[in-house]
Amino acid sequence: MRKLQLILLYATGVFSQQCSEVLEPLGLKDAEALAAHGSHSLTLNMIQYFFNPKAAVDNGIPTVNLNRCEMHDLHENAPYSTMKNSFDNPAFFALDNILSNMDHEEYGIMNANTLDRIAHDLHMIHMWEGAALYYQALVTAPPKPDICSCFLSTYLEAIKANLEFIAKEIRIPNQLSAQNNKGVKKGGNERAHYLGEYLGIYLGRYIGVYTLESRTINEKRSGNETAIKKKGGADDHKLDLYSGNIVDEKSWAKWKEMMQDPDSQYMENMGRSLSLYLYCQLEK
């Protein structure tokens, strides 16, 4: 009976309206983009360390498959790393994972070197440390059930769309760049440009901006086709904020500049969106 009621609510649009009212007081901003960015490289090890020590293998948190030899872009569940001699400390765990795969040419962010990958993983640990505080607050004072049901019904599809796009930026950036630059004269350091597509969107000042695909989904949902044309064009998507790998002090300085928070509320928005997403999936 309850399931039938939910179907009727969806069909009439009542559920969507109610969820909008339920979620509005939370003040979430770009929740789907932030939740996807914050979760895309999680392992079950890190979920258990930062969020829920009892999280299971069947955890319901899809992540990007870093093994590019395999066909599937996403893991259905954040995988558990069984590497020998791995460290409990998150930073050393990340270092061990990267260095233990450094001879594997089809593993990790395509076109990124070892220093790039280390910097990326430390950046993600920084995100998880912040989100963990919000997660524990949810555990201490659990939200009403309708908050989780509304959050997931509102954002789950768009989170998955963001994850799928992140996976392609990590796994096949050259193909995406070729598609985006049809008819455009090529030149310069294309390897750096491919890497810059991923880093510029997800590690730079525009981390919280929707990807073109997810923004299209959300704008169509709201009927705002004009916004798609104004904000979702090719020029907006191809933000070239990076010009190479980390190879010296100058290139590292560019990374540090890029990884500054885009605004003073960024870490709070990231922490609240990511923690609520993980809580609603892990604690159900």
Side-chain angles (χ1 to χ4, degrees):
M1 181 63 180
R2 175 60 177 165
K3 186 175 181 180
L4 178 59
Q5 289 175 334
L6 288 176
I7 293 174
L8 290 173
L9 288 172
Y10 273 115
T12 59
V14 174
F15 192 82
S16 176
Q17 182 179 357
Q18 289 181 342
C19 280
S20 177
E21 294 173 356
V22 168
L23 296 176
E24 184 177 6
L26 301 181
L28 299 175
K29 180 181 179 183
D30 297 344
E32 61 273 37
L34 295 177
H37 171 64
S39 63
H40 80 273
S41 59
L42 273 170
T43 60
L44 179 54
N45 310 66
M46 293 297 95
I47 288 176
Q48 292 175 341
Y49 184 93
F50 284 108
F51 304 105
N52 184 340
K54 296 182 179 180
V57 173
D58 185 18
N59 49 72
I61 306 297
T63 61
V64 174
N65 182 7
L66 295 178
N67 187 349
R68 304 195 308 276
C69 289
E70 298 176 348
M71 294 297 294
H72 58 286
D73 289 344
L74 298 178
H75 298 295
E76 292 185 6
N77 302 282
Y80 186 81
S81 175
T82 57
M83 287 188 306
K84 294 182 179 179
N85 301 319
S86 191
F87 301 90
D88 291 332
N89 178 276
F92 280 109
F93 175 85
L95 183 66
D96 185 23
N97 186 52
I98 293 167
L99 298 186
S100 295
N101 289 284
M102 64 190 301
D103 296 333
H104 186 343
E105 294 183 358
E106 297 299 322
Y107 184 88
I109 303 171
M110 188 174 183
N111 298 334
N113 65 25
T114 299
L115 286 177
D116 300 333
R117 293 171 183 176
I118 292 172
H120 169 265
D121 279 24
L122 292 180
H123 162 75
M124 296 311 303
I125 289 171
H126 178 54
M127 299 289 101
W128 301 334
E129 286 177 338
L133 300 176
Y134 291 94
Y135 190 98
Q136 291 308 312
L138 291 171
V139 171
T140 302
K144 296 179 180 179
D146 59 348
I147 288 181
C148 274
S149 61
C150 281
F151 181 89
L152 295 176
S153 67
T154 301
Y155 293 113
L156 202 56
E157 178 186 347
I159 290 172
K160 185 73 176 293
N162 273 269
L163 283 169
E164 289 172 347
F165 185 77
I166 295 172
K168 287 180 172 57
E169 287 283 6
I170 288 175
R171 291 168 57 89
I172 56 168
N174 300 21
Q175 294 179 38
L176 288 185
S177 185
Q179 293 171 8
N180 292 333
N181 289 288
K182 285 183 180 179
V184 178
K185 185 178 179 180
K186 294 184 178 181
N189 188 345
E190 292 181 11
R191 174 186 171 87
H193 176 70
Y194 299 147
L195 183 58
E197 291 259 345
Y198 169 72
L199 297 173
I201 294 173
Y202 293 104
L203 293 186
R205 293 185 180 281
Y206 294 85
I207 292 174
V209 177
Y210 293 127
T211 64
L212 179 58
E213 285 80 356
S214 67
R215 183 188 296 136
T216 301
I217 290 172
N218 287 287
E219 297 292 358
K220 282 185 176 179
R221 181 179 295 162
S222 64
N224 192 354
E225 299 289 344
T226 303
I228 298 175
K229 295 178 182 178
K230 288 184 177 179
K231 298 192 297 179
D235 291 339
D236 182 44
H237 171 60
K238 293 183 293 184
L239 297 168
D240 187 10
L241 306 180
Y242 190 68
S243 59
N245 303 97
I246 301 174
V247 294
D248 52 25
E249 293 181 10
K250 184 177 180 180
S251 55
W252 171 240
K254 291 182 179 179
W255 266 70
K256 288 195 293 184
E257 171 64 19
M258 264 202 319
M259 286 193 287
Q260 293 181 28
D261 293 342
D263 59 68
S264 60
Q265 300 299 312
Y266 175 73
M267 283 299 292
E268 179 181 353
N269 290 330
M270 164 63 76
R272 294 171 67 217
S273 297
L274 177 58
S275 62
L276 188 56
Y277 167 57
L278 295 177
Y279 178 88
C280 292
Q281 288 292 73
L282 297 173
E283 303 290 340
K284 58 187 177 184

